[in-house]
Amino acid sequence: MENVAIVLAAGKGKRMKMDVPKQYIELNGRPLICYSLDIFEKSFIDGIVVVVGKGEVEYFKENILSQNNYSKIIAVVEGGDERYDSVYGGLKAVYDAQYVYIHDGARPCVDEDILLRGKICAQKYGAAIAAVKVKDTIKIVHPDGEVSATPDRNMLWQVQTPQVFKYHLIKDAYDKMICAGNSVNITDDAMVMEEFGSVKVHIFEGNYNNIKVTTSEDIGVVKNILKKYEKKC
Ligand code: CTP
Ligand code: MG
């Protein structure tokens, strides 16, 4: 396959403080995870690997797969304790792909234009991540609250997913990281490429609407964005 998406849905959603993991909460009558799956299903992507929580494969099949006609899902695998464990599980389930699009299932407002920009950037550089320019001034602050520095805002970008890579490059980088047993403070896939990979990571334009549902305040914002997107369709 040329383009395979790895959609992550194995987190516990601790900051959301709800009974169900946030990927399964209903937004405008549809489970959150379905929004990004719908986009990948309708796009140029050839296959989708979904990574779900431990013991949740059956739940996902019964509640998501059986209610939807996803023709591109090639595997549903269990993730691990940390996000990078889940990504590694997804990467191992992708047997052949030229490019992988690693995406947080908690970002339901992704759109096909973002995927296309990612494809072009990854074809050029091998490692490409969605990002938007930081709008606020950012401070480096000591634990006691004292401000120590103000980085130049022109150099600051807020990073999103999808993060798109040549498959063999990101798989090699992850293999090296796991082999080295050195995965402290890894929060995204670009960091794995930066620390253990063989090519430089480049950014492509994301979208300010492509937010990650993290805390309960995000739910209202995302519902409104999704309503606007529905009207455009
Ligand atoms: N994720 C995952 N496996 C993990 C941790 C996270 O697949 N062990 C996924 C989440 O499902 C989410 C994405 O990675 O789609 C981004 O993670 P985050 O927003 O941190 O989600 P959670 O880990 O679920 O939330 P929290 O950190 O609040 O517990
Ligand atoms: Mg998390």
Side-chain angles (χ1 to χ4, degrees), residues 8-16 22-23 51 80-83 86 104-106 212-214:
L8 300 172
K12 295 204 163 57
K14 286 189 208 134
R15 287 169 287 179
M16 188 59 78
K22 62 191 180 190
Q23 48 271 25
V51 187
D81 291 339
E82 301 296 333
R83 185 185 179 282
S86 299
D104 295 333
K212 182 160 70 67
V213 177
T214 306

Side-chain angles (χ1 to χ4, degrees), residues 139-149:
K139 303 282 183 193
I140 312 277
V141 182
H142 288 300
D144 68 1
E146 186 187 297
V147 171
S148 76

Side-chain angles (χ1 to χ4, degrees), residues 92-163:
K92 285 190 285 188
V94 176
Y95 291 104
D96 86 288
Q98 287 178 45
Y99 295 93
V100 282
Y101 297 64
I102 303 172
H103 185 63
D104 295 333
R107 291 183 192 271
C109 305
V110 63
D111 62 50
E112 191 167 1
D113 289 342
I114 302 178
L115 302 183
L116 282 165
R117 291 195 288 272
K119 180 181 178 178
I120 292 165
C121 192
Q123 282 172 342
K124 191 164 176 195
Y125 297 110
I129 60 175
V132 288
K133 263 198 133 164
V134 164
K135 290 182 183 177
D136 293 319
T137 297
I138 303 286
K139 303 282 183 193
I140 312 277
V141 182
H142 288 300
D144 68 1
E146 186 187 297
V147 171
S148 76
T150 307
D152 178 2
R153 201 171 57 191
N154 285 319
M155 293 184 71
L156 295 177
W157 292 79
Q158 202 173 314
V159 167
Q160 307 178 333
T161 69
Q163 302 201 342

Side-chain angles (χ1 to χ4, degrees), residues 60-81:
F60 183 85
K61 286 185 176 163
E62 275 166 31
N63 293 280
I64 306 293
L65 283 192
S66 67
Q67 322 280 329
N68 294 277
N69 268 336
Y70 292 127
S71 62
K72 294 185 179 173
I73 295 185
I74 51 176
V76 180
V77 297
E78 286 190 353
D81 291 339

Side-chain angles (χ1 to χ4, degrees), residues 9-27 30-33 56 59 63-64 213-214 216 219:
K12 295 204 163 57
K14 286 189 208 134
R15 287 169 287 179
M16 188 59 78
K17 299 189 178 115
M18 284 187 169
D19 297 339
V20 273
K22 62 191 180 190
Q23 48 271 25
Y24 300 119
I25 58 176
E26 298 249 325
L27 295 180
R30 203 153 163 61
L32 191 158
I33 185 67
E56 285 175 10
Y59 177 91
N63 293 280
I64 306 293
V213 177
T214 306
S216 54
I219 292 178

